[in-house]
Amino acid sequence: MGATLLPVSPLILRVAVAGPLPGLFDYLPPAESAPTSLVPGMRLLVPFGRGQRVGMLVETAGHSEQNGDRLKSVTAVLDATALLGPVDLALIRWAADYYRSPLGEALFGALPVRLRRADARLDPGSPGLRPTAAGLNLDVAALGRAPAQRRVMECLRAAPQGLAMPTLKARLGSCVGPLKALRDLGLIEPCRVAAGPAPPAAIPDAPVADPAGPVLNPEQTRAVAAVSAALGGFAPFVLDGVTGSGKTEVYIRLIAEVIAAGRQALVLVPEIGLTPQLRDRLAHRLPGPHAVLHSALPEAERERAWHSAAAGCATLVLGTRSACFVPLPRLGLIVVDEEHDASLKQQEGFRYSARDLAVRRAQQAGCPVVLGSATPSLETLYNARLGRYRRLHLSQRAGGAQAPAIALLDIRGQTLSAGLSPLLRAQVEAQTGAGNQVLLFLNRRGYAPVLTCHDCGWVGACPHCDARLTLHLKLRRLWCHHCGWFLTTPSKCPDCQGLDLRGLGLGTERLEEELQAVFPGVRLARVDRDSTRRKGELDRLLAASRSGEIQILLGTQMLAKGHDFPGVTLVGILDLDHTLYASDFRAPERTAQLIVQVAGRAGRADRPGRVVLQTRHPEHPLLKSLILGGYPGFAEVALTERESAQLPPFGHLVLLRADAPDVEVPMDFLRQGRTLALRLLGDLGETGVAVSSPVPATMERRAGRYRAQLLVEGPERLGLQRFLASWASKLWTIPRNRGLRWSLDVDPQEML
């Protein structure tokens, strides 16, 4: 009697589809692919609805809950090998669960832009140079009168397959001129250098420039020793250092040790503007190649850097928040610089905190994570207080520089000229006259926040937002800083045809104009998003300032973060009063951090610094606590207030946000969501979780969409997550109509 043949169960591919779609979708393998060649982390092209979408294989199964006759086959396998390994997938799946984001949105948000589409993977090699046939046959003695060119040729002839540009720079320093000359002679040519296995800990013939660096002070030495002792295991540290205390030098020493051990380091910064200066400093001191990742890079350049990191070739990855997901097979250290900065929280789509995920990733990888800031967030300080993080304090400025004194200047009843009170104007004159530099801070770009008609009272307003249009005089535009809509500045009033149009208020563009009139002959530069739009302009302005070419530096918060101005002896903070009474409970913390960060630009060399803060509210408790106790004193007061109100870090928040073109749609959705939540809380028996009634956002209409939100509060994280796990799935059952969009924001950083 023959054996009975049992039907073979098909391999089921469980796929996350790119986009805000909940759950995984089941597919059959394509007929031409062997099942063993399909592994999680590969991109697939799958039929979806009436079209096709890019998806990622997350897991395989032996059966499907769907009717087998309805399952479709994958259209194509887009990758020969997995883009994301098991460890990377585990991190992203954890993040998607915690932040209640659709897994497909989280997975594809972690990839370079090109790889979110069905595009083929790029050659992961780096741009480089190699000798041409003429270069290989050249007698280098012929370059005797050009020693720099000869050194380049000797270096490249020793590697005829080519050398990556970072490697060339590490070996030879800046050699732009010799490279151009050799290319013009036809002796070298561009190429791509494939990312190979992990590079050696050091390149014997390529010592980094100035590898030793400055001598560490005792506090820096203790900080480096503490983290070094923890290498090889998970340990979270807070590097709490006053501005100018040498936190970056501590980072460099630790990264150098990690690279020497054959491991990789990840450095996260909050904003693109911080990467060029830090990149150059790290490249000057640390062996490469390095990978830089941020949204301003061309897509291909960013993808190749991503591949270099994932292949283990890049010794160091420097990037903004999305770099926290880059695959790093030999990860040995994570550094989060300016960890307090709100820019580390993604505000659209997959709403994750890069700082918090950095801690989770370090725990997963078994390596230290260093959270650095002169003004640590209250959540981070609370974790240090509880002993979850080890606090390393740098109280002294590097090189013996003294911390600047901060003085409040009451400007009530005073006549301001170019935004300056008479006393501050006199101090600016004194400092520039003595050959020192002055930094003036106004966190409001443009010429004037409002354009109005003096005859009829018309005010320029955005037709798409509940916001006024900002006047940008040089560009001849009225611009909405919220949605980006603009129009050409009218020559007469649109309502009454009057000609008396006036800009009200002060922006950096107007302040620049008025300062030039008040201080004729003084060299002045403005640094804001408008003045630095041209590529390389920010670097040029910062270099001019450091060289002493500029006497007065005027700007927004772009100047407050991470920049070193050794010649600045006076900082004037012209107007922060509007932030003292903002509705967001985090506003006092953000204001205190901004004041301290701006103040820290003064007195960073051998000349003492002074900070003058102009205000009409000198009696405000925030300012008093900051002046009397510095940032630590403010933080203690703020933590006490947060505890009494059970606000983070003593309680935990989630915002359900919704928006739509119709004003009633988001409110209706949120009301349905609240009904589901209250019913669910009764079923689960969760105590302490509270669900507020829905309210319009502070700016209800933005970019033509009406916004509303609903607040959920919980005393402890675990119970809140249990509730969210059930509630999030039920929210997807509410019909979505008339352009509704919604999202859950776990641990929101902005309550607007």
Side-chain angles (χ1 to χ4, degrees):
M1 184 175 178
T4 301
L5 295 176
L6 298 176
V8 178
S9 299
L11 179 70
I12 303 299
L13 307 182
R14 308 210 67 213
V15 177
V17 176
L21 298 165
L24 300 177
F25 299 87
D26 291 354
Y27 289 91
L28 297 172
E32 67 275 9
S33 293
T36 55
S37 67
L38 296 170
V39 295
M42 285 180 163
R43 291 177 305 146
L44 308 172
L45 187 63
V46 297
F48 196 87
R50 297 182 179 179
Q52 294 181 329
R53 288 209 184 192
V54 179
M56 179 169 287
L57 178 58
V58 175
E59 58 192 28
T60 59
H63 70 282
S64 173
E65 299 296 328
Q66 302 295 322
N67 187 322
D69 295 337
R70 299 183 61 186
L71 292 181
K72 298 179 180 179
S73 296
V74 167
T75 303
V77 179
L78 300 177
D79 302 310
T81 57
L83 285 175
L84 300 172
V87 173
D88 309 309
L89 286 171
L91 175 68
I92 298 171
R93 294 191 76 170
W94 181 91
D97 284 343
Y98 179 81
Y99 291 106
R100 300 298 153 191
S101 171
L103 182 56
E105 189 171 51
L107 285 168
F108 283 90
L111 295 179
V113 174
R114 285 189 71 262
L115 298 181
R116 300 173 196 175
R117 306 187 293 260
D119 295 358
R121 295 165 68 165
L122 290 173
D123 174 4
S126 301
L129 291 169
R130 65 187 175 196
T132 61
L136 288 170
N137 294 323
L138 176 74
D139 180 0
V140 294
L143 299 173
R145 294 186 179 181
Q149 294 179 29
R150 186 172 66 183
R151 284 196 298 273
V152 172
M153 285 307 304
E154 289 172 345
C155 185
L156 287 176
R157 281 156 60 102
Q161 77 283 358
L163 288 175
M165 294 305 297
T167 305
L168 265 176
K169 186 175 181 181
R171 296 188 180 189
L172 302 172
S174 180
C175 50
V176 175
L179 290 177
K180 183 179 185 304
L182 291 170
R183 287 187 67 173
D184 291 344
L185 291 170
L187 299 176
I188 61 175
E189 62 185 2
C191 66
R192 298 211 69 82
V193 181
I203 304 173
D205 59 339
V208 294
D210 190 20
V215 176
L216 300 183
N217 63 36
E219 289 181 331
Q220 290 173 308
T221 301
R222 285 193 291 271
V224 170
V227 182
S228 295
L231 291 174
F234 170 63
F237 295 89
V238 181
L239 187 59
D240 175 11
V242 300
T243 53
S245 59
K247 292 184 291 295
T248 304
E249 188 60 35
V250 172
Y251 303 156
I252 290 172
R253 300 300 176 96
L254 293 170
I255 295 168
E257 188 172 343
V258 166
I259 293 174
R263 307 293 293 276
Q264 293 170 289
L266 171 63
V267 178
L268 298 177
V269 293
E271 293 187 10
I272 296 168
L274 296 179
T275 53
Q277 183 177 337
L278 186 56
R279 176 199 61 210
D280 292 344
R281 188 168 175 185
L282 296 175
H284 182 66
R285 297 282 301 283
L286 298 168
H290 300 168
V292 177
L293 290 161
H294 56 72
S295 58
L297 293 173
E299 289 183 9
E301 183 179 343
R302 186 173 186 179
E303 184 184 333
R304 289 192 172 100
W306 190 91
H307 284 307
S308 175
C313 182
T315 59
L316 168 66
V317 173
L318 170 64
T320 48
R321 56 179 176 260
S322 63
C324 69
F325 295 112
V326 175
L328 293 164
R330 300 179 292 110
L331 182 59
L333 175 70
I334 301 176
V335 172
V336 183
D337 194 29
E338 308 290 358
E339 66 83 27
H340 66 278
D341 199 293
S343 298
L344 289 167
K345 177 69 186 284
Q346 173 71 23
Q347 298 295 345
E348 300 290 341
F350 177 26
R351 297 171 180 263
Y352 62 90
S353 164
R355 177 197 65 200
D356 296 347
L357 280 180
V359 176
R360 175 66 180 178
R361 184 168 189 183
Q363 185 180 41
Q364 178 195 63
C367 73
V369 56
V370 179
L371 309 179
S373 177
T375 54
S377 67
L378 297 185
E379 286 88 348
T380 294
L381 290 175
Y382 182 66
N383 280 323
R385 177 193 287 182
L386 295 180
R388 296 171 181 163
Y389 299 168
R390 181 175 173 185
R391 191 171 180 179
L392 307 172
H393 190 52
L394 304 181
S395 62
Q396 302 173 1
R397 286 190 151 194
Q402 298 300 308
I406 302 180
L408 296 182
L409 182 55
D410 186 352
I411 59 172
R412 288 176 293 189
Q414 296 194 31
T415 300
L416 304 183
S417 175
L420 308 179
S421 64
L423 180 57
L424 182 54
R425 175 178 172 177
Q427 293 189 22
V428 172
E429 290 174 341
Q431 293 301 318
T432 55
N436 297 322
Q437 290 176 304
V438 174
L439 187 152
L440 298 177
F441 175 81
L442 179 67
N443 207 23
R444 192 184 303 120
R445 65 189 177 97
Y447 189 84
V450 175
L451 181 68
T452 184
C453 174
H454 190 62
D455 294 334
C456 73
W458 170 87
V459 173
C462 178
H464 309 292
C465 303
D466 295 331
R468 305 299 189 195
L469 296 171
T470 299
L471 173 61
H472 290 253
L473 194 64
K474 289 185 179 178
L475 295 174
R476 298 184 62 249
R477 285 180 178 178
L478 289 178
W479 212 323
C480 178
H481 289 179
H482 300 280
C483 73
W485 186 86
F486 64 88
L487 58 82
T488 301
T489 305
S491 58
K492 55 186 177 182
C493 175
D495 282 358
C496 72
Q497 309 303 307
L499 300 178
D500 193 0
L501 297 178
R502 302 184 182 185
L504 302 181
L506 197 64
T508 48
E509 185 185 353
R510 184 173 192 167
L511 185 59
E512 177 186 28
E513 177 185 282
E514 295 184 1
L515 286 169
Q516 287 171 338
V518 172
F519 301 106
V522 173
R523 298 184 299 278
L524 183 146
R526 170 167 57 96
V527 179
D528 57 26
R529 284 178 56 189
D530 298 328
S531 66
T532 58
R533 289 184 186 276
R534 186 183 305 168
K535 185 176 181 180
E537 186 64 13
L538 177 60
D539 288 345
R540 187 192 70 78
L541 289 173
L542 294 178
S545 176
R546 286 190 288 270
S547 69
E549 178 184 335
I550 295 169
Q551 294 173 278
I552 297 179
L553 196 60
L554 161 68
T556 59
Q557 62 182 357
M558 288 182 68
L559 291 175
K561 303 171 184 178
H563 301 302
D564 186 20
F565 303 116
V568 170
T569 55
L570 174 65
V571 168
I573 301 176
L574 304 188
D575 182 12
L576 277 180
D577 285 349
H578 62 285
T579 68
L580 296 176
Y581 299 97
S583 58
D584 192 331
F585 75 90
R586 295 187 191 276
E589 179 185 7
R590 301 272 189 250
T591 302
Q593 289 165 342
L594 187 56
I595 290 171
V596 173
Q597 294 283 342
V598 175
R601 302 312 109 195
R604 292 172 71 108
D606 55 353
R607 287 172 281 188
R610 178 174 175 80
V611 179
V612 175
L613 197 164
Q614 294 188 159
T615 179
R616 294 176 178 84
H617 305 281
E619 72 289 341
H620 193 282
L622 181 156
L623 298 178
K624 283 187 173 181
S625 64
L626 199 58
I627 295 299
L628 294 175
Y631 187 77
F634 159 79
E636 286 301 315
V637 172
L639 280 169
T640 301
E641 293 177 349
R642 294 272 187 94
E643 185 174 18
S644 64
Q646 285 301 289
L647 290 170
F650 301 95
H652 306 283
L653 306 178
V654 176
L655 277 176
L656 175 60
R657 304 179 189 268
D659 62 80
D662 187 329
V663 66
E664 287 300 323
V665 170
M667 290 294 288
D668 181 58
F669 171 81
L670 294 177
R671 282 190 285 266
Q672 294 183 66
R674 185 171 188 267
T675 299
L676 289 173
L678 295 176
R679 188 179 304 149
L680 186 61
L681 287 173
D683 295 340
L684 293 175
E686 289 291 352
T687 59
V689 176
V691 183
S692 302
S693 296
V695 295
T698 304
M699 180 185 291
E700 184 177 14
R701 188 171 57 112
R702 181 172 180 174
R705 300 181 68 87
Y706 291 88
R707 308 183 302 155
Q709 56 196 34
L710 178 153
L711 179 65
V712 181
E713 302 173 82
E716 53 96 19
R717 202 181 299 274
L718 186 59
L720 189 57
Q721 280 290 328
R722 279 196 299 264
F723 162 72
L724 290 176
S726 299
W727 190 42
S729 62
K730 293 185 181 301
L731 289 172
W732 286 100
T733 66
I734 301 176
R736 294 175 64 183
N737 55 14
R738 292 182 288 172
L740 174 73
R741 298 186 307 207
W742 65 269
S743 64
L744 281 168
D745 191 354
V746 179
D747 302 333
Q749 291 297 301
E750 295 183 1
M751 304 299 291
L752 305 178

